[in-house]
Amino acid sequence: MSQVVTTSSAERGLSERHVRILDAAERVFARAGFHAATMNDIAMEAGMSPGNLYRYFSSKDAIIAGMSERDRMEIAADFAQLDPSKGRLLDQLDELGRQHMVRKPREKAIIALQIWAEASRTPAMAQICAGFDETVEQGLGAAVEAAKQSGELPSNLDQARFLLALFMMADGFFCRRAVDPNFDAAAGAEALFAAMRGLAQTMLLPPAGGQTS
């Protein structure tokens, strides 16, 4: 598969200052957590005055929303690059997954875990998570459907259960990477994508009129 879309592609439309602030906020949030971090901390990390920071983002919540939207745009762009003409779609999904799960810094996983925790009690954060999940589900669903149409995957693959399993495995991966500084992300991804390939051949719909095994 060709190199996936870079972050700069997803950042098209963001000013240099917005990008600098979002990058700084990721570092601060990963170190201190959402609640302990302050706008002053983020301004200092970004190399600007607090007053200047507030010109771009009105609050920490606005910054978190901006970070999440930037990541959502990036992964949407990556899914848009998947194409059966470039090779096997499972290989392309494997590469895309490694790009986001292994090559991205561990801080991304730490921040994801913080957002999920906030989403359990904050409707605005839950909405952010739902929007991100919808983008991933649509991208994965389209890729899996194309692979079924091309014969790469079984036509009777239980797509809903397959995607649910992938979501749960990926969530577990991010949790493990966030909480364990010694976690081997490359080995974890190898295991996850081997499981993906195995499930893709065995998680099948029951025959018409038959019983689920």
Side-chain angles (χ1 to χ4, degrees), residues 68-146:
S68 299
E69 177 61 12
R70 179 170 68 165
D71 288 347
R72 190 196 67 78
M73 290 169 59
E74 180 182 359
I75 200 163
D78 287 346
F79 276 122
Q81 296 298 309
L82 300 178
D83 187 340
S85 68
K86 298 177 181 178
R88 293 173 59 83
L89 279 164
L90 286 187
D91 291 343
Q92 295 180 56
L93 285 174
D94 187 313
E95 172 62 20
L96 191 157
R98 291 173 196 274
Q99 170 68 14
H100 287 274
M101 301 171 76
V102 179
R103 299 184 194 117
K104 295 287 187 181
R106 176 171 170 255
E107 285 74 16
K108 286 283 191 181
I110 294 172
I111 290 171
L113 197 58
Q114 293 183 56
I115 290 176
W116 292 340
E118 290 298 310
S120 69
R121 56 181 175 266
T122 307
M125 288 296 167
Q127 187 173 6
I128 287 172
C129 287
F132 193 94
D133 286 350
E134 182 179 6
T135 295
V136 175
E137 185 174 5
Q138 289 176 349
L140 277 174
V144 169
E145 185 59 37

Side-chain angles (χ1 to χ4, degrees), residues 158-181:
D158 189 335
Q159 186 163 326
R161 291 174 64 223
F162 177 62
L163 294 180
L164 178 60
L166 291 187
F167 264 92
M168 291 190 295
M169 289 191 296
D171 289 349
F173 177 98
F174 278 109
C175 288
R176 176 56 54 191
R177 192 176 187 202
V179 302
D180 182 1

Side-chain angles (χ1 to χ4, degrees), residues 6-52:
T6 62
T7 302
S8 61
S9 298
E11 289 171 353
R12 200 169 297 140
L14 292 177
S15 72
E16 182 274 335
R17 287 292 180 91
H18 281 94
V19 172
R20 189 201 306 180
I21 292 167
L22 294 178
D23 289 345
E26 286 189 341
R27 294 191 294 272
V28 171
F29 289 149
R31 287 199 306 265
F34 291 156
H35 293 291
T38 67
M39 291 291 276
N40 284 355
D41 294 333
I42 297 168
M44 182 177 296
E45 185 78 20
M48 62 177 61
S49 69
N52 201 19

